Amino acid sequence: METKALYKISYGLYVVGSKLDGKLAGCVVDAFIQSTSSPVPTVILCSIQANQTNAAIKQTGEFTVSVLGRDVEPFVIGNFGFQSGRDADKWANVEHRLAGGLPVLDKAAAYFRCRVTDQKELSTHTAFFCEVTDAWLGEGEPLIYGDYQASMKAKTLEAFKAFKETGIVPGRQAAEKKTKWVCKICGYVYDGQTPFEQLPETWKCPVCGHPKSDFEML
Ligand SMILES: Cc1cc2nc3c(=O)[nH]c(=O)nc-3n(C[C@H](O)[C@H](O)[C@H](O)COP(=O)(O)O)c2cc1C
């Protein structure tokens, strides 16, 4: 059997959000489909039994779905798909908010809130049959699973490997660096849009007027 043929089934890619013992949980899934549309929309999620997210959904009976957009940072997929919430606080690594107590990504193409109405254990997965209790639009077009397999998987592996090696969440180091330059003379902390390193040598502290060379990085 050519199992790669399965990659050509069209799914999207999603981050499921839930809670286990009051702590945020979640993972990446592709096995999420709409099953009926009336009288209320219903969906099916296939979740790996061994995963923490599976236990969280069984405990709360609810979860959110953030539909990943084509412009998603590959790190987001690796963060939620290549490690377990048992070993890492995955939500702490991404911009997110709570919607009715459950986490959703700040940036996604669309969002759903789902309530489990029935479930069936398959060999390795649980099929959760759910009602959509809320839905709202985000920004952009959805990422297609086949496009992820073809052109994003390698970048995702690379971004996650770099994160594991350095502990640095992509995009955060630059922001932190920018805010950590302090004037040794008056204590003013530089917080401008331009990275401190790129300010001209003639730039002066706006509080005490001392030159750039009197700043140090915290
Ligand atoms: C591209 C991709 C697709 C995935 N699809 C599913 C899926 O449909 N269902 C599922 O339960 N896990 C899926 N996973 C695996 C989980 O995201 C992964 O096992 C995760 O580490 C589980 O984390 P948890 O223990 O915190 O729940 C997928 C992972 C990737 C990278």
Side-chain angles (χ1 to χ4, degrees):
M1 181 160 65
E2 289 184 281
T3 50
K4 284 202 171 156
L6 296 165
Y7 293 169
K8 297 202 174 182
I9 297 177
S10 295
Y11 312 88
L13 216 48
Y14 314 92
V15 167
V16 165
S18 192
K19 266 187 182 176
L20 183 66
D21 299 329
K23 208 179 134 225
L24 303 187
C27 73
V28 162
V29 303
D30 57 272
F32 175 72
I33 60 157
Q34 180 173 0
S35 38
T36 65
S37 53
S38 65
V40 287
T42 60
V43 291
I44 302 170
L45 167 70
C46 287
S47 160
I48 297 171
Q49 286 158 355
N51 283 350
Q52 189 194 50
T53 306
N54 185 289
I57 296 171
K58 282 176 180 161
Q59 188 179 84
T60 58
E62 278 195 300
F63 59 92
T64 57
V65 173
S66 301
V67 179
L68 299 182
R70 280 189 209 151
D71 59 349
V72 65
E73 278 288 324
F75 169 72
V76 173
I77 302 173
N79 179 55
F80 281 101
F82 296 160
Q83 61 183 347
S84 173
R86 295 189 184 96
D87 311 315
D89 183 356
K90 301 192 223 182
W91 286 98
N93 293 337
V94 296
E95 302 303 319
H96 69 279
R97 61 186 186 274
L98 295 182
L102 295 180
V104 291
L105 294 175
D106 272 351
K107 226 177 137 204
Y111 303 90
F112 303 104
R113 190 178 172 100
C114 306
R115 186 174 63 81
V116 178
T117 54
D118 204 354
Q119 66 195 59
K120 181 167 174 55
E121 299 304 327
L122 310 173
S123 54
T124 52
H125 285 56
T126 308
F128 290 110
F129 300 88
C130 314
E131 277 180 5
V132 175
T133 53
D134 202 356
W136 62 105
L137 282 168
E139 298 275 318
E141 294 304 312
L143 175 66
I144 306 302
Y145 180 63
D147 293 339
Y148 162 78
Q149 287 290 350
S151 55
M152 271 188 83
K153 195 173 179 175
K155 284 183 212 148
T156 301
L157 287 164
E158 209 175 283
F160 188 67
K161 187 166 169 269
F163 165 70
K164 289 307 274 183
E165 282 168 5
T166 62
I168 296 168
V169 173
R172 287 214 180 146
Q173 191 196 29
E176 276 163 16
K177 263 191 179 173
K178 201 176 66 181
T179 58
K180 283 189 177 172
W181 286 89
V182 60
C183 177
K184 286 188 282 184
I185 310 300
C186 70
Y188 165 78
V189 177
Y190 176 72
D191 189 22
Q193 287 293 313
T194 309
F196 185 80
E197 297 86 340
Q198 289 172 24
L199 291 171
E201 290 311 312
T202 52
W203 183 87
K204 290 193 175 7
C205 173
V207 175
C208 67
H210 276 255
K212 197 181 164 188
S213 55
D214 280 333
F215 277 69
E216 65 183 1
M217 200 169 81
L218 287 179

